[in-house]
Amino acid sequence: MAATGTRLDLDGRPIKPMTICMIGAGGFIGSHLCEKVLFETPHKILALDVYNDKIKHLLEPETQTWADRIQFHRLNIKHDSRLEGLIKMADLTINLAAICTPADYNTRPLDTIYSNFIDALPVVKYCSENNKRLIHFSTCEVYGKTIGSYLPKDSPLRQDPSYYILKEDTSPCIFGSIEKQRWSYACAKQLIERLIYAEGAENGLEFTIVRPFNWIGPRMDFIPGIDGPSEGVPRVLACFSNNLLRRQPLKLVDGGQSQRTFVYIKDAIEAVLLMIENPARANGHIFNVGNPNNEVTVQQLAEMMTEVYSKVSGEPPLETATIDVSSKEFYGEGYDDSDKRIPDMTIINTQLGWNPKTSLWDLLESTLTYQHRTYAEAIKQAISKPVAS
Ligand code: NAD
Ligand code: UDP
């Protein structure tokens, strides 16, 4: 499993072992990236996060062959004087830390803006001042709504890809009005992207910006009432998984007509490793990372997840598999939605030769198998417990 022999980059040069300061290493993406780096490369990780539940299996037992290559530091980057020292100890910093669940954007807009902009500022500053490379995680949401969404519903131009394909260097960022607080996240991410870009232009910061397009897979978010708050609202994969596990209808926000492209986390992590190990090809670039072939409406996602879950669990689907719910009822005041998200893949393909591989059906099958194995028993027990009076 561990890397042996000389590994070469895309241009045939030997890849030198490096130390990576990974901020937000204990989250969904961080946990998969830690696994990839430990299992397939000789690099070392300084893993920073407030939580480590999702990487516990990598931190213990200490007899594992990779144990001396990962060091966990429990810290909050908002207020911890160790941050600069850890960035200085590393060759590369990867910043994943963020509040990034839509249910928070309109209900906790201040926390969202602080987390995605203010808290990221020292990370950028320390990288720039200490001449350290930075890979910063932004979001596809910086594109906001498509140009096509503003055309009349029956306009033939809506079928023209130039009105909806999202391209790093040409598409505009189109957000709703200020009272639509949904866009607090996208706007904060956009400003930190602009700041990083400016640090590159004015002070020579070596940076790469990643825009994930709905990466999904095992360990994403939490199941309410099992390993997260009962009233919590995670992202759609965990919301629908929770409904399926509890045999409740899946809730379609505003009819579930928004469209998304989903990419399997394991495909996406391959792209991140290419960025890590090919700085000459990745520095100075903003990369869309998604799977344009996996587009569905949220309603179609619900239908497919229902079918796949029935297959992996052996339980028949509910007669009424989905119900409609208004966004106001589900998310509260100030919610708004991205209508359609198809990534243009030209830049990542040209620079890193990366392409996603896994179909939506296959990625749902492996992810829902994991959800069923991990949570079905706990849910059964939670449901059977008598409610305290
Ligand atoms: P996640 O919530 O699972 O991971 C984020 C991690 O950052 C968490 O473990 C959290 O504890 C940590 N963190 C947050 N604030 C912190 C702080 N102040 N100090 C220390 N640690 C802190 O989310 P994820 O899906 O892994 O996303 C990682 C990054 O990718 C985020 O920046 C997110 O905006 C971006 N992103 C992800 C997706 C996706 O499809 N998963 C899509 C768009 C953007
Ligand atoms: N959504 C839904 N039901 C749910 C959870 C989410 O219909 O139980 C919708 C949400 O309104 C959005 C899409 O699913 O249109 C994707 O939501 P997610 O939380 O994954 O994040 P987003 O892609 O909007 O960043």
Side-chain angles (χ1 to χ4, degrees), residues 346-385:
T346 313
I347 296 183
I348 191 154
N349 197 258
T350 310
Q351 292 302 118
L352 301 171
W354 178 83
N355 276 306
K357 301 183 203 99
T358 315
S359 70
L360 187 56
W361 178 278
D362 287 352
L363 75 87
L364 288 178
E365 192 163 344
S366 62
T367 305
L368 291 179
T369 301
Y370 170 89
Q371 302 288 59
H372 184 67
R373 248 196 250 129
T374 311
Y375 295 108
E377 202 43 50
I379 296 256
K380 245 187 227 151
Q381 285 179 17
I383 291 173
S384 65
K385 263 195 205 141

mmCIF file of all heavy atoms in Angstrom, residues 346-385:
data_model
loop_
_atom_site.group_PDB
_atom_site.id
_atom_site.type_symbol
_atom_site.label_atom_id
_atom_site.label_comp_id
_atom_site.label_asym_id
_atom_site.label_seq_id
_atom_site.Cartn_x
_atom_site.Cartn_y
_atom_site.Cartn_z
ATOM 1 N N THR A 346 -11.886 21.681 -19.864
ATOM 2 C CA THR A 346 -10.727 21.886 -20.740
ATOM 3 C C THR A 346 -9.438 22.125 -19.953
ATOM 4 O O THR A 346 -8.405 21.517 -20.242
ATOM 5 C CB THR A 346 -10.973 23.098 -21.681
ATOM 6 O OG1 THR A 346 -12.284 22.963 -22.230
ATOM 7 C CG2 THR A 346 -9.943 23.158 -22.780
ATOM 8 N N ILE A 347 -9.507 23.001 -18.930
ATOM 9 C CA ILE A 347 -8.258 23.405 -18.268
ATOM 10 C C ILE A 347 -7.638 22.230 -17.505
ATOM 11 O O ILE A 347 -6.454 21.939 -17.639
ATOM 12 C CB ILE A 347 -8.482 24.643 -17.371
ATOM 13 C CG1 ILE A 347 -8.881 25.836 -18.252
ATOM 14 C CG2 ILE A 347 -7.223 24.962 -16.566
ATOM 15 C CD1 ILE A 347 -9.070 27.146 -17.528
ATOM 16 N N ILE A 348 -8.442 21.532 -16.715
ATOM 17 C CA ILE A 348 -7.866 20.421 -15.935
ATOM 18 C C ILE A 348 -7.399 19.288 -16.847
ATOM 19 O O ILE A 348 -6.402 18.616 -16.583
ATOM 20 C CB ILE A 348 -8.841 19.923 -14.849
ATOM 21 C CG1 ILE A 348 -8.079 18.975 -13.905
ATOM 22 C CG2 ILE A 348 -10.081 19.235 -15.412
ATOM 23 C CD1 ILE A 348 -8.622 18.891 -12.532
ATOM 24 N N ASN A 349 -8.111 19.125 -17.953
ATOM 25 C CA ASN A 349 -7.722 18.085 -18.895
ATOM 26 C C ASN A 349 -6.403 18.423 -19.584
ATOM 27 O O ASN A 349 -5.510 17.588 -19.694
ATOM 28 C CB ASN A 349 -8.862 17.888 -19.887
ATOM 29 C CG ASN A 349 -8.704 16.578 -20.607
ATOM 30 O OD1 ASN A 349 -8.271 16.556 -21.741
ATOM 31 N ND2 ASN A 349 -8.994 15.483 -19.911
ATOM 32 N N THR A 350 -6.270 19.690 -19.997
ATOM 33 C CA THR A 350 -5.036 20.103 -20.681
ATOM 34 C C THR A 350 -3.853 20.098 -19.721
ATOM 35 O O THR A 350 -2.770 19.615 -20.053
ATOM 36 C CB THR A 350 -5.204 21.546 -21.240
ATOM 37 O OG1 THR A 350 -6.423 21.588 -21.965
ATOM 38 C CG2 THR A 350 -4.054 21.951 -22.123
ATOM 39 N N GLN A 351 -4.048 20.660 -18.526
ATOM 40 C CA GLN A 351 -2.915 20.809 -17.610
ATOM 41 C C GLN A 351 -2.503 19.493 -16.949
ATOM 42 O O GLN A 351 -1.350 19.239 -16.735
ATOM 43 C CB GLN A 351 -3.247 21.819 -16.503
ATOM 44 C CG GLN A 351 -3.385 23.254 -16.974
ATOM 45 C CD GLN A 351 -2.133 23.750 -17.655
ATOM 46 O OE1 GLN A 351 -2.151 24.085 -18.829
ATOM 47 N NE2 GLN A 351 -1.020 23.776 -16.930
ATOM 48 N N LEU A 352 -3.530 18.688 -16.545
ATOM 49 C CA LEU A 352 -3.221 17.521 -15.714
ATOM 50 C C LEU A 352 -3.676 16.200 -16.325
ATOM 51 O O LEU A 352 -3.467 15.128 -15.743
ATOM 52 C CB LEU A 352 -3.874 17.686 -14.325
ATOM 53 C CG LEU A 352 -3.437 18.929 -13.528
ATOM 54 C CD1 LEU A 352 -4.288 19.100 -12.282
ATOM 55 C CD2 LEU A 352 -1.963 18.835 -13.142
ATOM 56 N N GLY A 353 -4.327 16.261 -17.477
ATOM 57 C CA GLY A 353 -4.786 15.042 -18.157
ATOM 58 C C GLY A 353 -5.807 14.257 -17.353
ATOM 59 O O GLY A 353 -5.981 13.059 -17.538
ATOM 60 N N TRP A 354 -6.527 14.959 -16.448
ATOM 61 C CA TRP A 354 -7.479 14.256 -15.569
ATOM 62 C C TRP A 354 -8.876 14.202 -16.179
ATOM 63 O O TRP A 354 -9.342 15.178 -16.775
ATOM 64 C CB TRP A 354 -7.550 14.963 -14.202
ATOM 65 C CG TRP A 354 -8.550 14.324 -13.263
ATOM 66 C CD1 TRP A 354 -8.331 13.226 -12.481
ATOM 67 C CD2 TRP A 354 -9.903 14.729 -13.031
ATOM 68 N NE1 TRP A 354 -9.474 12.929 -11.759
ATOM 69 C CE2 TRP A 354 -10.451 13.829 -12.080
ATOM 70 C CE3 TRP A 354 -10.708 15.747 -13.534
ATOM 71 C CZ2 TRP A 354 -11.767 13.929 -11.621
ATOM 72 C CZ3 TRP A 354 -12.011 15.858 -13.075
ATOM 73 C CH2 TRP A 354 -12.534 14.946 -12.127
ATOM 74 N N ASN A 355 -9.498 13.057 -16.003
ATOM 75 C CA ASN A 355 -10.909 12.886 -16.380
ATOM 76 C C ASN A 355 -11.590 12.018 -15.327
ATOM 77 O O ASN A 355 -10.991 11.058 -14.847
ATOM 78 C CB ASN A 355 -11.026 12.162 -17.718
ATOM 79 C CG ASN A 355 -10.882 13.120 -18.873
ATOM 80 O OD1 ASN A 355 -11.590 14.125 -18.949
ATOM 81 N ND2 ASN A 355 -9.950 12.835 -19.758
ATOM 82 N N PRO A 356 -12.832 12.325 -14.963
ATOM 83 C CA PRO A 356 -13.547 11.472 -14.009
ATOM 84 C C PRO A 356 -13.934 10.167 -14.678
ATOM 85 O O PRO A 356 -14.094 10.119 -15.900
ATOM 86 C CB PRO A 356 -14.788 12.290 -13.672
ATOM 87 C CG PRO A 356 -15.012 13.151 -14.872
ATOM 88 C CD PRO A 356 -13.665 13.434 -15.457
ATOM 89 N N LYS A 357 -14.108 9.078 -13.844
ATOM 90 C CA LYS A 357 -14.387 7.771 -14.452
ATOM 91 C C LYS A 357 -15.730 7.190 -14.048
ATOM 92 O O LYS A 357 -16.350 6.442 -14.795
ATOM 93 C CB LYS A 357 -13.324 6.753 -13.999
ATOM 94 C CG LYS A 357 -11.911 7.089 -14.347
ATOM 95 C CD LYS A 357 -10.994 5.930 -13.901
ATOM 96 C CE LYS A 357 -9.572 6.381 -13.695
ATOM 97 N NZ LYS A 357 -9.195 6.638 -12.317
ATOM 98 N N THR A 358 -16.187 7.494 -12.831
ATOM 99 C CA THR A 358 -17.274 6.702 -12.246
ATOM 100 C C THR A 358 -18.658 7.261 -12.586
ATOM 101 O O THR A 358 -18.919 8.460 -12.392
ATOM 102 C CB THR A 358 -17.096 6.637 -10.707
ATOM 103 O OG1 THR A 358 -15.722 6.356 -10.446
ATOM 104 C CG2 THR A 358 -17.963 5.575 -10.072
ATOM 105 N N SER A 359 -19.544 6.376 -13.036
ATOM 106 C CA SER A 359 -20.903 6.809 -13.386
ATOM 107 C C SER A 359 -21.692 7.090 -12.109
ATOM 108 O O SER A 359 -21.339 6.622 -11.019
ATOM 109 C CB SER A 359 -21.608 5.701 -14.176
ATOM 110 O OG SER A 359 -21.884 4.619 -13.287
ATOM 111 N N LEU A 360 -22.798 7.821 -12.260
ATOM 112 C CA LEU A 360 -23.607 8.172 -11.095
ATOM 113 C C LEU A 360 -24.168 6.916 -10.429
ATOM 114 O O LEU A 360 -24.152 6.787 -9.204
ATOM 115 C CB LEU A 360 -24.735 9.126 -11.526
ATOM 116 C CG LEU A 360 -25.566 9.699 -10.384
ATOM 117 C CD1 LEU A 360 -24.703 10.427 -9.362
ATOM 118 C CD2 LEU A 360 -26.645 10.638 -10.922
ATOM 119 N N TRP A 361 -24.622 5.981 -11.232
ATOM 120 C CA TRP A 361 -25.175 4.747 -10.664
ATOM 121 C C TRP A 361 -24.114 4.032 -9.825
ATOM 122 O O TRP A 361 -24.357 3.643 -8.691
ATOM 123 C CB TRP A 361 -25.719 3.831 -11.774
ATOM 124 C CG TRP A 361 -26.248 2.545 -11.203
ATOM 125 C CD1 TRP A 361 -25.509 1.437 -10.866
ATOM 126 C CD2 TRP A 361 -27.603 2.266 -10.830
ATOM 127 N NE1 TRP A 361 -26.341 0.473 -10.318
ATOM 128 C CE2 TRP A 361 -27.625 0.957 -10.286
ATOM 129 C CE3 TRP A 361 -28.800 2.989 -10.920
ATOM 130 C CZ2 TRP A 361 -28.793 0.349 -9.833
ATOM 131 C CZ3 TRP A 361 -29.967 2.375 -10.469
ATOM 132 C CH2 TRP A 361 -29.971 1.069 -9.927
ATOM 133 N N ASP A 362 -22.909 3.886 -10.392
ATOM 134 C CA ASP A 362 -21.848 3.155 -9.676
ATOM 135 C C ASP A 362 -21.431 3.869 -8.396
ATOM 136 O O ASP A 362 -21.212 3.239 -7.365
ATOM 137 C CB ASP A 362 -20.612 2.967 -10.577
ATOM 138 C CG ASP A 362 -20.874 1.922 -11.659
ATOM 139 O OD1 ASP A 362 -21.928 1.248 -11.609
ATOM 140 O OD2 ASP A 362 -20.035 1.799 -12.569
ATOM 141 N N LEU A 363 -21.331 5.184 -8.446
ATOM 142 C CA LEU A 363 -20.881 5.890 -7.241
ATOM 143 C C LEU A 363 -21.970 5.859 -6.173
ATOM 144 O O LEU A 363 -21.677 5.767 -4.968
ATOM 145 C CB LEU A 363 -20.388 7.303 -7.550
ATOM 146 C CG LEU A 363 -21.350 8.433 -7.859
ATOM 147 C CD1 LEU A 363 -21.836 9.119 -6.599
ATOM 148 C CD2 LEU A 363 -20.642 9.461 -8.728
ATOM 149 N N LEU A 364 -23.230 5.850 -6.598
ATOM 150 C CA LEU A 364 -24.310 5.755 -5.612
ATOM 151 C C LEU A 364 -24.349 4.352 -5.014
ATOM 152 O O LEU A 364 -24.608 4.180 -3.828
ATOM 153 C CB LEU A 364 -25.659 6.115 -6.241
ATOM 154 C CG LEU A 364 -25.853 7.599 -6.560
ATOM 155 C CD1 LEU A 364 -27.207 7.830 -7.237
ATOM 156 C CD2 LEU A 364 -25.738 8.474 -5.318
ATOM 157 N N GLU A 365 -24.076 3.365 -5.844
ATOM 158 C CA GLU A 365 -24.103 1.993 -5.343
ATOM 159 C C GLU A 365 -23.035 1.806 -4.256
ATOM 160 O O GLU A 365 -23.328 1.277 -3.176
ATOM 161 C CB GLU A 365 -23.892 1.013 -6.499
ATOM 162 C CG GLU A 365 -24.207 -0.397 -6.088
ATOM 163 C CD GLU A 365 -24.405 -1.346 -7.283
ATOM 164 O OE1 GLU A 365 -24.602 -0.892 -8.419
ATOM 165 O OE2 GLU A 365 -24.346 -2.556 -7.038
ATOM 166 N N SER A 366 -21.808 2.277 -4.507
ATOM 167 C CA SER A 366 -20.785 2.052 -3.460
ATOM 168 C C SER A 366 -21.060 2.952 -2.259
ATOM 169 O O SER A 366 -20.857 2.529 -1.116
ATOM 170 C CB SER A 366 -19.367 2.210 -4.006
ATOM 171 O OG SER A 366 -19.186 3.498 -4.471
ATOM 172 N N THR A 367 -21.552 4.155 -2.486
ATOM 173 C CA THR A 367 -21.788 5.059 -1.350
ATOM 174 C C THR A 367 -22.963 4.577 -0.497
ATOM 175 O O THR A 367 -22.897 4.579 0.739
ATOM 176 C CB THR A 367 -22.063 6.492 -1.869
ATOM 177 O OG1 THR A 367 -20.982 6.870 -2.708
ATOM 178 C CG2 THR A 367 -22.198 7.482 -0.727
ATOM 179 N N LEU A 368 -24.046 4.146 -1.134
ATOM 180 C CA LEU A 368 -25.210 3.700 -0.348
ATOM 181 C C LEU A 368 -24.955 2.353 0.328
ATOM 182 O O LEU A 368 -25.524 2.076 1.388
ATOM 183 C CB LEU A 368 -26.463 3.681 -1.215
ATOM 184 C CG LEU A 368 -26.949 5.095 -1.612
ATOM 185 C CD1 LEU A 368 -28.172 5.025 -2.497
ATOM 186 C CD2 LEU A 368 -27.234 5.963 -0.396
ATOM 187 N N THR A 369 -24.077 1.546 -0.259
ATOM 188 C CA THR A 369 -23.676 0.309 0.428
ATOM 189 C C THR A 369 -22.973 0.697 1.736
ATOM 190 O O THR A 369 -23.247 0.148 2.802
ATOM 191 C CB THR A 369 -22.727 -0.531 -0.467
ATOM 192 O OG1 THR A 369 -23.427 -0.827 -1.674
ATOM 193 C CG2 THR A 369 -22.296 -1.823 0.203
ATOM 194 N N TYR A 370 -22.099 1.696 1.650
ATOM 195 C CA TYR A 370 -21.402 2.192 2.850
ATOM 196 C C TYR A 370 -22.416 2.761 3.862
ATOM 197 O O TYR A 370 -22.355 2.450 5.054
ATOM 198 C CB TYR A 370 -20.379 3.268 2.443
ATOM 199 C CG TYR A 370 -19.787 4.007 3.625
ATOM 200 C CD1 TYR A 370 -18.637 3.521 4.261
ATOM 201 C CD2 TYR A 370 -20.369 5.178 4.108
ATOM 202 C CE1 TYR A 370 -18.100 4.200 5.356
ATOM 203 C CE2 TYR A 370 -19.846 5.847 5.205
ATOM 204 C CZ TYR A 370 -18.710 5.351 5.817
ATOM 205 O OH TYR A 370 -18.193 6.014 6.906
ATOM 206 N N GLN A 371 -23.348 3.572 3.389
ATOM 207 C CA GLN A 371 -24.319 4.190 4.313
ATOM 208 C C GLN A 371 -25.132 3.102 5.021
ATOM 209 O O GLN A 371 -25.354 3.170 6.227
ATOM 210 C CB GLN A 371 -25.301 5.118 3.558
ATOM 211 C CG GLN A 371 -24.687 6.253 2.763
ATOM 212 C CD GLN A 371 -24.120 7.382 3.597
ATOM 213 O OE1 GLN A 371 -23.241 7.151 4.408
ATOM 214 N NE2 GLN A 371 -24.583 8.603 3.383
ATOM 215 N N HIS A 372 -25.546 2.100 4.262
ATOM 216 C CA HIS A 372 -26.364 1.027 4.835
ATOM 217 C C HIS A 372 -25.559 0.265 5.894
ATOM 218 O O HIS A 372 -26.034 0.051 7.003
ATOM 219 C CB HIS A 372 -26.834 0.092 3.716
ATOM 220 C CG HIS A 372 -27.756 -0.988 4.195
ATOM 221 N ND1 HIS A 372 -29.014 -0.722 4.679
ATOM 222 C CD2 HIS A 372 -27.585 -2.329 4.288
ATOM 223 C CE1 HIS A 372 -29.589 -1.859 5.052
ATOM 224 N NE2 HIS A 372 -28.740 -2.845 4.826
ATOM 225 N N ARG A 373 -24.313 -0.096 5.521
ATOM 226 C CA ARG A 373 -23.456 -0.843 6.454
ATOM 227 C C ARG A 373 -23.146 -0.031 7.709
ATOM 228 O O ARG A 373 -23.115 -0.543 8.820
ATOM 229 C CB ARG A 373 -22.128 -1.174 5.764
ATOM 230 C CG ARG A 373 -21.979 -2.662 5.500
ATOM 231 C CD ARG A 373 -20.521 -3.009 5.177
ATOM 232 N NE ARG A 373 -20.406 -3.379 3.780
ATOM 233 C CZ ARG A 373 -19.527 -2.880 2.917
ATOM 234 N NH1 ARG A 373 -18.667 -1.954 3.281
ATOM 235 N NH2 ARG A 373 -19.511 -3.292 1.683
ATOM 236 N N THR A 374 -22.939 1.246 7.529
ATOM 237 C CA THR A 374 -22.501 2.079 8.657
ATOM 238 C C THR A 374 -23.657 2.468 9.574
ATOM 239 O O THR A 374 -23.482 2.572 10.782
ATOM 240 C CB THR A 374 -21.808 3.362 8.118
ATOM 241 O OG1 THR A 374 -20.858 2.961 7.139
ATOM 242 C CG2 THR A 374 -21.121 4.149 9.221
ATOM 243 N N TYR A 375 -24.849 2.708 9.003
ATOM 244 C CA TYR A 375 -25.901 3.343 9.807
ATOM 245 C C TYR A 375 -27.177 2.534 10.039
ATOM 246 O O TYR A 375 -27.941 2.870 10.935
ATOM 247 C CB TYR A 375 -26.319 4.671 9.151
ATOM 248 C CG TYR A 375 -25.239 5.718 9.108
ATOM 249 C CD1 TYR A 375 -24.615 6.059 7.905
ATOM 250 C CD2 TYR A 375 -24.846 6.385 10.262
ATOM 251 C CE1 TYR A 375 -23.627 7.040 7.851
ATOM 252 C CE2 TYR A 375 -23.865 7.371 10.222
ATOM 253 C CZ TYR A 375 -23.256 7.698 9.010
ATOM 254 O OH TYR A 375 -22.292 8.668 8.971
ATOM 255 N N ALA A 376 -27.444 1.516 9.224
ATOM 256 C CA ALA A 376 -28.770 0.872 9.298
ATOM 257 C C ALA A 376 -29.074 0.356 10.700
ATOM 258 O O ALA A 376 -30.179 0.559 11.226
ATOM 259 C CB ALA A 376 -28.872 -0.246 8.262
ATOM 260 N N GLU A 377 -28.078 -0.271 11.324
ATOM 261 C CA GLU A 377 -28.300 -0.855 12.649
ATOM 262 C C GLU A 377 -28.548 0.247 13.693
ATOM 263 O O GLU A 377 -29.476 0.150 14.514
ATOM 264 C CB GLU A 377 -27.065 -1.702 13.013
ATOM 265 C CG GLU A 377 -27.290 -2.774 14.055
ATOM 266 C CD GLU A 377 -28.586 -3.572 13.894
ATOM 267 O OE1 GLU A 377 -28.854 -4.057 12.780
ATOM 268 O OE2 GLU A 377 -29.341 -3.674 14.899
ATOM 269 N N ALA A 378 -27.719 1.290 13.641
ATOM 270 C CA ALA A 378 -27.857 2.405 14.604
ATOM 271 C C ALA A 378 -29.231 3.063 14.465
ATOM 272 O O ALA A 378 -29.863 3.443 15.462
ATOM 273 C CB ALA A 378 -26.753 3.422 14.368
ATOM 274 N N ILE A 379 -29.711 3.185 13.239
ATOM 275 C CA ILE A 379 -31.023 3.806 13.008
ATOM 276 C C ILE A 379 -32.117 2.912 13.586
ATOM 277 O O ILE A 379 -33.028 3.388 14.275
ATOM 278 C CB ILE A 379 -31.283 4.026 11.494
ATOM 279 C CG1 ILE A 379 -30.284 5.020 10.931
ATOM 280 C CG2 ILE A 379 -32.731 4.406 11.205
ATOM 281 C CD1 ILE A 379 -30.767 6.416 10.666
ATOM 282 N N LYS A 380 -31.996 1.614 13.342
ATOM 283 C CA LYS A 380 -32.991 0.670 13.867
ATOM 284 C C LYS A 380 -33.085 0.817 15.383
ATOM 285 O O LYS A 380 -34.167 0.906 15.955
ATOM 286 C CB LYS A 380 -32.578 -0.772 13.521
ATOM 287 C CG LYS A 380 -33.560 -1.445 12.580
ATOM 288 C CD LYS A 380 -33.206 -2.908 12.399
ATOM 289 C CE LYS A 380 -33.240 -3.252 10.921
ATOM 290 N NZ LYS A 380 -32.348 -4.304 10.531
ATOM 291 N N GLN A 381 -31.923 0.857 16.029
ATOM 292 C CA GLN A 381 -31.906 0.977 17.489
ATOM 293 C C GLN A 381 -32.487 2.313 17.940
ATOM 294 O O GLN A 381 -33.252 2.378 18.906
ATOM 295 C CB GLN A 381 -30.487 0.831 18.023
ATOM 296 C CG GLN A 381 -30.024 -0.617 17.988
ATOM 297 C CD GLN A 381 -28.609 -0.792 18.489
ATOM 298 O OE1 GLN A 381 -28.070 0.081 19.151
ATOM 299 N NE2 GLN A 381 -28.007 -1.914 18.150
ATOM 300 N N ALA A 382 -32.134 3.395 17.229
ATOM 301 C CA ALA A 382 -32.636 4.726 17.612
ATOM 302 C C ALA A 382 -34.160 4.765 17.486
ATOM 303 O O ALA A 382 -34.856 5.316 18.345
ATOM 304 C CB ALA A 382 -31.999 5.794 16.732
ATOM 305 N N ILE A 383 -34.686 4.139 16.420
ATOM 306 C CA ILE A 383 -36.133 4.153 16.188
ATOM 307 C C ILE A 383 -36.861 3.316 17.253
ATOM 308 O O ILE A 383 -37.947 3.692 17.703
ATOM 309 C CB ILE A 383 -36.465 3.646 14.760
ATOM 310 C CG1 ILE A 383 -35.993 4.675 13.718
ATOM 311 C CG2 ILE A 383 -37.955 3.382 14.596
ATOM 312 C CD1 ILE A 383 -36.100 4.221 12.290
ATOM 313 N N SER A 384 -36.211 2.211 17.668
ATOM 314 C CA SER A 384 -36.911 1.311 18.593
ATOM 315 C C SER A 384 -36.855 1.795 20.052
ATOM 316 O O SER A 384 -37.557 1.277 20.898
ATOM 317 C CB SER A 384 -36.348 -0.101 18.496
ATOM 318 O OG SER A 384 -35.016 -0.074 18.947
ATOM 319 N N LYS A 385 -35.995 2.799 20.337
ATOM 320 C CA LYS A 385 -35.901 3.306 21.718
ATOM 321 C C LYS A 385 -37.181 4.013 22.093
ATOM 322 O O LYS A 385 -37.686 4.831 21.312
ATOM 323 C CB LYS A 385 -34.747 4.325 21.818
ATOM 324 C CG LYS A 385 -33.481 3.720 22.333
ATOM 325 C CD LYS A 385 -32.506 4.804 22.746
ATOM 326 C CE LYS A 385 -31.099 4.258 22.669
ATOM 327 N NZ LYS A 385 -30.157 5.216 22.160
#
